[in-house]
Amino acid sequence: MKDIAIMQIGELARLTRTTPRALRLYEARGLLGPVPRRGRYRHYHAGHAAQVRLVRQALALGLRMADLARLPQHTGADALAQAAALLQARRAQVQRELQRLRAQDDALAALEHALLHCPEADPTGKRPLALDCAPA
């Protein structure tokens, strides 16, 4: 059997474009699974690099470390179902945020229209915030 390539923390940090400090945090939060040590040095392998990339992608998508830490470290059906449920919950949050942003965009468009097309709302012609102007 071929030996797994072992990396120290600096090499893993360079490979995954993160920092040793972030790697230590991920390990402390239980996001990397077991990390063997030899003396003071942590010894990482390609599986850890893949896990770091996954963690970074999940964090960039708005998931929280606390949520990720609650996921099982194995890849059985129950672990995949828990991960899928976490992703579904995050997607639901994103959908709610999209609805909020669409409503905000509609309100901004109405205000823009009022400012540009309803000077009659102010006889001085200074065009105040004419929120009572009929939309286009």
Side-chain angles (χ1 to χ4, degrees), residues 30-69:
L31 303 179
L32 299 184
V35 177
R37 293 174 183 255
R38 213 173 273 153
R40 292 180 27 192
Y41 297 98
R42 292 167 173 87
H43 287 247
Y44 300 96
H45 53 74
H48 290 118
Q51 190 67 19
V52 169
R53 288 185 190 103
L54 181 62
V55 166
R56 289 177 50 87
Q57 182 179 18
L59 294 174
L61 292 171
L63 296 169
R64 299 175 321 152
M65 275 194 230
D67 295 327
L68 298 175

Side-chain angles (χ1 to χ4, degrees), residues 68-91:
L68 298 175
R70 285 192 288 269
L71 292 176
Q73 291 297 317
H74 59 85
T75 58
D78 61 328
L80 295 176
Q82 287 182 23
L86 179 62
L87 294 175
Q88 288 170 353
R90 178 61 186 142
R91 288 189 67 212

Side-chain angles (χ1 to χ4, degrees), residues 102-119:
R102 284 185 191 110
Q104 184 177 10
D105 185 53
D106 290 346
L108 287 167
L111 182 57
E112 178 185 19
H113 173 78
L115 289 171
L116 296 175
H117 301 289
C118 299

